[in-house]
Amino acid sequence: MKTICLYFQIHQPCRLRRYRFFDIGNDHYYYDDFSNGEIFKKVADMCYIPANRAIIEMIKKSEGRFKVAFSISGIALEQMEIYAPELIDSFKELIRLGGVEFLTETYAHSLSSLGNPNEFRAQVEAHSEKISSLFGVKPRVLRNTELIYSDEISDLVYDMGFRGMLTEGAKHVLGWKSPNYMYSSSAYPDLKLLLKNDRFSEDLSLRFADYSWTEYPLTADKYMSWIASTAPAENIINIFLNYEVLGSLHSYSTGIFEFFKALPLFAEKNGITFSLPSDLFEQHKPVDAIIVPYPMSWVDEEKDCNSWLGNVLQQEAFRKINGISERVRLCTDRRLLQDWLYLQSSDHFYYMNTKHYNLFSPYDNPYDAFNNYMNVLSDFILRVEAQYPSSIENEELNSLLTTIQNQGYEIEHLEKRIAKYEAVEPTACSSKARKNK
């Protein structure tokens, strides 16, 4: 029997305000709160809220047979709490109904897996804790930022204890193979992989509202018949999408919501079920391992990472921010740590992309994006170095901080002992006084 694994990505960055050269060292607030709030509320009204309502209706109507997975970045969750708290309640309702799984990812929707293994681990753990604290569930499956994956990344993921991961079914990796099976990492056979089916995913994300498409208009009946007609042995169809496909990328007037809500009915007519990633990882064995020596993603035709790190601007910005990571991890300043996360969002690097025009960029051009980001980063580095001077080597700084921490523990221990003796001493004195009497 064929089954569909439907997954949605939700992410919104903290966009930076226009930060001038003369602001460096004088103003430490970097964000365009007005734009961030306005954009989030707009997308929530157009997409997130009506889409959640639709899924609640679909789960109830199908008596739990419709299932869907979500990966929501930590930064998006923070914005939900500020700008649309009703969304948090809506996701809690989905959890209560069942048939919904939350995946884990990097907290900041960052590129840390491509150059900062320690930061990658820290962000995945922080994201998992955020999901657990908000929704009371512990994610068991990992989905890296923009489905980025490589053999080297599989080392990190496996070492963290994950045994299931989602990624792209890139043609240059699969060759003649189909993405409609369970695969595994070439290095770790126990790390199972679900690969995105490009055709069925992009029929919805790219072609659904394209009047020039020969298959326009796409109906739920037609779509499910295509899935049913795949080779009999191809039992897992992975449809991975940005949640904004529903209502934002394709507006309500295109019929996307009516199409989406009709999927469970026509899936059942074609003998097709819906499954969660964790269930598939438990129920299926890999048919083969895939070898991915260079990182791949789900972006552009090349399915590589050049959209974020393909030019010298992006590479310099990435090198610069990763160069201070060890010192940032030593600090306990909450404001610094929050800025550190927000500045790592992959969006900042995507805005510097010179390959093609970015419709969602708040900048006029990629060079403007680079200059603004580097101004902000320069100020951030000054703040970090004010706490941990660059004249001190990392090893020496670690040693000093460890010594200070140990001294703090020793002082705390001695204070407890003094308090204990002070509590005992009056009692002893009273006893002695009674004996003298």
Side-chain angles (χ1 to χ4, degrees):
M1 179 180 287
K2 294 187 185 298
T3 190
I4 293 172
C5 179
L6 180 61
Y7 147 77
F8 288 112
Q9 166 189 286
I10 301 176
H11 170 64
Q12 287 292 332
C14 278
R15 295 162 190 82
L16 303 175
R17 69 177 180 86
R18 292 287 175 172
Y19 194 85
R20 310 296 181 185
F21 175 80
F22 298 104
D23 292 326
I24 299 172
N26 298 311
D27 189 341
H28 305 316
Y29 195 77
Y30 310 136
Y31 311 106
D32 187 345
D33 291 333
F34 178 79
S35 291
N36 288 327
E38 186 179 44
I39 291 170
F40 196 93
K41 290 173 184 175
K42 180 180 178 182
V43 176
D45 289 339
M46 292 172 62
C47 167
Y48 302 153
I49 293 172
N52 275 14
R53 287 190 193 128
I55 291 175
I56 289 171
E57 179 186 331
M58 292 161 75
I59 291 173
K60 288 179 177 178
K61 190 173 288 188
S62 67
E63 297 180 342
R65 288 187 294 275
F66 178 73
K67 299 178 180 181
V68 62
F70 290 97
S71 179
I72 314 173
S73 73
I75 291 177
L77 287 168
E78 288 184 10
Q79 291 185 74
M80 278 184 200
E81 292 176 291
I82 298 169
Y83 303 121
E86 65 272 27
L87 261 176
I88 300 291
D89 295 332
S90 182
F91 279 112
K92 287 179 180 177
E93 172 68 5
L94 284 170
I95 287 287
R96 189 188 66 79
L97 288 173
V100 170
E101 178 174 9
F102 283 102
L103 313 181
T104 195
E105 63 160 281
T106 56
Y107 192 96
H109 200 74
S110 74
L111 304 172
S112 54
S113 63
L114 298 176
N116 198 333
N118 291 331
E119 181 64 19
F120 175 74
R121 292 188 186 94
Q123 286 197 30
V124 169
E125 289 169 4
H127 184 266
S128 185
E129 288 171 8
K130 183 74 173 178
I131 292 292
S132 181
S133 66
L134 280 177
F135 305 114
V137 293
K138 187 77 173 177
R140 294 187 291 160
V141 176
L142 188 136
R143 186 228 64 134
N144 194 17
T145 305
E146 305 293 338
L147 295 184
I148 293 172
Y149 175 84
S150 70
D151 293 336
E152 188 174 351
I153 292 171
S154 75
D155 290 345
L156 297 173
V157 174
Y158 187 84
D159 187 56
M160 292 182 70
F162 290 98
R163 297 298 178 263
M165 185 174 179
L166 274 58
T167 187
E168 171 65 35
K171 292 178 182 177
H172 70 271
V173 169
L174 285 176
W176 57 269
K177 299 174 186 174
S178 167
N180 303 332
Y181 295 96
M182 179 80 69
Y183 289 89
S184 71
S185 159
S186 60
Y188 300 98
D190 290 340
L191 178 60
K192 298 177 181 179
L193 304 172
L194 288 173
L195 309 184
K196 171 177 160 252
N197 183 302
D198 256 3
R199 175 200 165 184
F200 293 126
S201 298
E202 292 180 1
D203 281 347
L204 302 187
S205 62
L206 299 180
R207 293 181 281 273
F208 181 82
D210 183 359
Y211 293 97
S212 64
W213 185 30
T214 55
E215 297 295 342
Y216 181 88
L218 180 61
T219 64
D221 187 10
K222 185 195 295 185
Y223 188 67
M224 283 302 168
S225 69
W226 290 346
I227 292 175
S229 65
T230 55
E234 297 180 5
N235 291 327
I236 304 173
I237 312 297
N238 299 307
I239 301 172
F240 301 163
L241 303 166
N242 191 313
Y243 206 27
E244 291 173 36
V245 164
L246 303 177
S248 184
L249 297 178
H250 300 315
S251 67
Y252 188 89
S253 62
T254 64
I256 188 67
F257 282 102
E258 288 76 8
F259 167 88
F260 185 60
K261 287 190 280 189
L263 290 178
L265 172 64
F266 289 101
E268 189 173 3
K269 286 185 176 181
N270 285 278
I272 299 168
T273 63
F274 290 88
S275 296
L276 299 174
S278 58
D279 292 336
L280 292 174
F281 288 130
E282 288 179 3
Q283 297 164 5
H284 293 261
K285 293 181 179 180
V287 297
D288 199 1
I290 59 169
I291 300 172
V292 189
Y294 304 104
M296 65 177 177
S297 75
W298 69 348
V299 172
D300 296 337
E301 287 187 25
E302 297 84 1
K303 306 298 181 185
D304 56 20
C305 296
N306 284 338
S307 288
W308 302 280
L309 297 175
N311 64 44
V312 293
L313 304 178
Q314 296 165 315
Q315 292 160 13
E316 172 62 13
F318 191 62
R319 183 193 65 79
K320 198 79 171 176
I321 193 167
N322 280 311
I324 58 167
S325 63
E326 290 187 35
R327 289 172 183 272
V328 175
R329 277 194 291 272
L330 295 172
C331 85
T332 55
D333 185 322
R334 291 184 64 184
R335 176 82 178 273
L336 267 178
L337 292 172
Q338 185 182 54
D339 290 340
W340 166 245
L341 283 172
Y342 292 173
L343 291 177
Q344 287 187 78
S345 288
S346 61
D347 310 76
H348 302 307
F349 302 91
Y350 195 73
Y351 299 148
M352 303 174 202
N353 187 346
T354 53
K355 287 173 60 180
H356 48 69
Y357 175 70
N358 184 351
L359 182 63
F360 301 103
S361 175
Y363 303 98
D364 295 331
N365 56 67
Y367 306 100
D368 189 19
F370 173 76
N371 288 332
N372 200 67
Y373 182 80
M374 294 305 283
N375 284 343
V376 169
L377 190 56
S378 296
D379 183 79
F380 180 76
I381 291 172
L382 287 176
R383 291 165 59 203
V384 173
E385 290 186 346
Q387 293 198 23
Y388 307 109
S390 57
S391 58
I392 305 175
E393 295 293 331
N394 284 335
E395 288 185 10
E396 184 183 354
L397 186 59
N398 266 316
S399 178
L400 285 170
L401 290 172
T402 301
T403 301
I404 292 168
Q405 189 177 46
N406 289 340
Q407 287 176 344
Y409 291 147
E410 182 67 22
I411 290 168
E412 185 180 354
H413 175 67
L414 290 172
E415 286 176 343
K416 286 180 180 177
R417 288 184 66 183
I418 291 169
K420 182 180 178 183
Y421 287 135
E422 286 176 345
V424 171
E425 201 170 290
T427 306
C429 290
S430 299
S431 299
K432 189 175 181 181
R434 283 196 297 271
K435 284 180 182 178
N436 291 335
K437 285 181 181 179

